[in-house]
């Protein structure tokens, strides 16, 4: 299967509200996936966090996931004035990007720049 076909299938899987595992390159070592192994899912889904925690990660449903954001768009989404390539910093989510339907949602997150 060529890359274009693979990407089309993956995009449709995510659009259908499903999650997928992504593996490429060498194995990574450490607590965070930084691109070679990742769980991909649509972060806009209100139920996705609980679904992944309970059925994929087998952990408490409240635990957060780190969204991937294009490096050039980081300042649009977060109040952060420096790069965080290894997901070590927590950044406040820009007010314009916070979920207005969930006033109890966290206002900060550890993100993954891509």
């Amino acid at each position: 299967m060529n890359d274009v076909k693979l990407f089309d299938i993956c995009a449709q899987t995510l659009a259908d509200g499903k999650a997928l595992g992504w593996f490429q390159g060498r194995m990574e070592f450490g607590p965070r996936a930084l691109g070679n192994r990742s769980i991909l899912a649509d972060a806009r889904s209100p139920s996705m966090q609980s679904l992944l925690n309970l059925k994929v990660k087998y952990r408490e449903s409240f635990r957060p996931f780190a969204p991937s954001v294009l490096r050039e768009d980081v300042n649009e989404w977060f109040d952060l004035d420096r790069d965080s390539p290894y997901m070590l910093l927590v950044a406040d989510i820009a007010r314009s990007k916070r979920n207005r339907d969930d006033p109890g949602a966290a206002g900060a997150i550890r993100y993954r720049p891509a």
Side-chain angles (χ1 to χ4, degrees):
M1 175 181 317
N2 66 36
D3 285 351
V4 172
K5 179 73 171 164
L6 174 64
F7 299 154
D8 285 345
I9 291 170
C10 291
Q12 187 59 55
T13 299
L14 296 173
D16 290 343
K18 298 176 184 172
L20 59 92
W22 186 264
F23 303 87
Q24 65 183 16
R26 298 181 297 181
M27 179 56 86
E28 296 170 309
F29 178 78
R32 294 181 185 81
L34 297 173
N36 288 348
R37 58 181 173 87
S38 297
I39 297 170
L40 303 179
D42 186 349
R44 297 170 299 178
S45 168
S47 62
M48 188 57 70
Q49 178 183 352
S50 290
L51 177 83
L52 290 176
N53 276 327
L54 297 174
K55 295 189 176 192
V56 177
K57 302 285 279 184
Y58 302 108
R59 62 185 188 180
E60 298 91 343
S61 65
F62 67 85
R63 291 185 181 258
F65 282 87
S68 292
V69 177
L70 292 174
R71 184 166 270 113
E72 59 265 23
D73 294 337
V74 166
N75 290 333
E76 178 184 337
W77 286 89
F78 305 102
D79 295 328
L80 188 67
D81 59 359
R82 59 183 159 155
D83 196 18
S84 181
Y86 304 109
M87 297 173 54
L88 298 176
L89 301 176
V90 173
D92 290 329
I93 300 169
R95 287 207 178 277
S96 64
K97 300 297 184 182
R98 292 185 190 173
N99 186 347
R100 290 171 186 80
D101 297 331
D102 186 2
I109 198 161
R110 184 176 57 219
Y111 72 96
R112 165 71 175 113

